[in-house]
Each structure stands twice: as C-alpha cells, then as structure tokens.
C-alpha cells in the first residue's frame, strides 16, 4: 500500500486545528486491541479516516470509530498529533500531513457493519499484516510510550 519507502512519522503535542486532516483511533475492548479489515485489502488497520468539511477533528474521530468498528458505547480521548511525510495511497504529493491520534476504549459493538470494513478483530497482540506498516506500528508505539509516562 505504501508507494514510497521513505516515510517519516513525527509526533507533536498540538498543531493548528486547520492542519488536522485525519483522525486515528488506537482502540481496545476488554483488554484486546481492535483492528479493522477493509473489504478491498488483505491487511489490518487501526480505525481511522479523513475529517469531513465543517467537522471538528474529535467529531471525525468519533464518527470514524463508529463507522469502522460499529462501536456504540465507548470513551475516546486525544493522545497527540502525528504527521507523515512521504507518498502513500492517501497522500499523492508526499507533503507533510497531520492527524489527531486518539485512544478509545470500546465497551459495546453493534451487530453489523455498514461500510467498507469487512470485519473487526480483537487481538491480544499486534497483527503482522498491516495496511500501513511504516506508520501504524509507530502510532501504537507512541501511544504506549505516552501511556507509560502518564502512569509514572
């Protein structure tokens, strides 16, 4: 899926809201990691998506979480801002793009998915087949690093 092997991922505490184009939801349910499998791919991904016009970035995160996982009862909170520089399937120019990284704890899912997601899986460990292998593991590592710091 990644077109350019040279991707750079950076993390920020905050950036101007107008720069935030994506919302990514690292999610857990009952101690398991939540991942999605898109109908058109054989890989797993973190629930995420684009911000729509006129939508707040946290609203986008909540909407994407509901759409991609079927979450109906959950808590969600911002973790940090991330950026990716380099060409990907969703970034033809390769310029630095920004997103909000959130963490969601999902208590309840609905019974059916009505979008591009084929299935949602709950895993005790990270998948080996990532949709964005140069990005998604780094987002989870940063979340876990920040979570350990908060726990101290």
């Amino acid at each position: 899926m990644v077109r350019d092997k040279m991707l750079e991922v950076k993390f920020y505490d905050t950036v101007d809201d107008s720069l935030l184009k994506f919302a990514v939801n690292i999610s857990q349910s009952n101690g398991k990691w939540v991942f999605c499998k898109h109908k058109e791919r054989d890989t797993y991904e973190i629930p995420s998506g684009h911000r729509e016009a006129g939508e707040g970035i946290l609203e986008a995160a909540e909407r994407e979480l509901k759409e991609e996982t079927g979450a109906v009862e959950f808590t969600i909170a911002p973790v940090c801002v991330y950026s990716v520089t380099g060409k990907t399937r969703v970034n033809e120019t390769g310029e630095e793009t920004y997103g909000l990284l959130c963490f969601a704890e999902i208590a309840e899912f609905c019974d059916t998915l009505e979008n591009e997601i084929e299935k949602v899986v709950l895993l005790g460990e990270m998948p080996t087949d990532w949709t964005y292998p140069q990005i998604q593991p780094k987002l989870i590592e940063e979340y876990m690093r920040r979570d350990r710091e908060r726990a101290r």
Side-chain angles (χ1 to χ4, degrees):
M1 285 292 149
V2 176
R3 296 192 177 167
D4 185 338
K5 295 192 184 303
M6 303 303 293
L7 293 180
E8 183 178 16
V9 179
K10 295 180 184 175
F11 298 96
Y12 306 90
D13 288 330
T14 187
V15 297
D16 187 273
D17 181 75
S18 66
L19 294 174
L20 297 170
K21 306 295 183 208
F22 300 96
V24 175
N25 298 299
I26 294 170
S27 307
Q28 288 188 332
S29 182
N30 293 319
K32 303 274 187 177
W33 299 100
V34 179
F35 291 96
C36 302
K37 185 194 165 298
H38 194 284
K39 291 176 182 175
E40 297 176 0
R41 296 187 274 280
D42 293 325
T43 53
Y44 292 93
E45 52 202 69
I46 300 168
S48 59
H50 291 85
R51 181 183 201 174
E52 294 180 355
E55 186 175 48
I57 193 64
L58 196 53
E59 288 176 287
E62 291 175 359
R63 176 183 51 75
E64 290 291 346
L65 186 70
K66 290 175 188 176
E67 287 178 3
E68 295 201 348
T69 68
V72 291
E73 187 181 327
F74 59 90
T75 58
I76 190 170
V79 173
C80 66
V81 171
Y82 74 95
S83 73
V84 176
T85 304
K87 291 184 181 183
T88 66
R89 185 181 61 79
V90 295
N91 182 6
E92 292 287 330
T93 67
E95 67 187 20
E96 187 172 24
T97 57
Y98 297 87
L100 181 66
L101 181 62
C102 296
F103 178 77
E105 181 67 42
I106 303 172
E108 184 180 343
F109 297 88
C110 68
D111 292 334
T112 59
L113 296 172
E114 299 178 13
N115 60 21
E116 72 273 9
I117 300 301
E118 180 180 302
K119 66 180 177 178
V120 174
V121 296
L122 304 180
L123 303 174
E125 53 191 50
M126 297 300 132
T128 55
D129 299 328
W130 295 93
T131 301
Y132 300 102
Q134 294 179 316
I135 301 169
Q136 295 170 322
K138 291 179 181 175
L139 300 180
I140 291 176
E141 287 169 14
E142 181 67 10
Y143 160 71
M144 290 175 24
R145 185 188 71 76
R146 288 176 181 246
D147 190 51
R148 282 191 306 270
E149 283 182 1
R150 275 192 300 275
R152 289 183 191 165

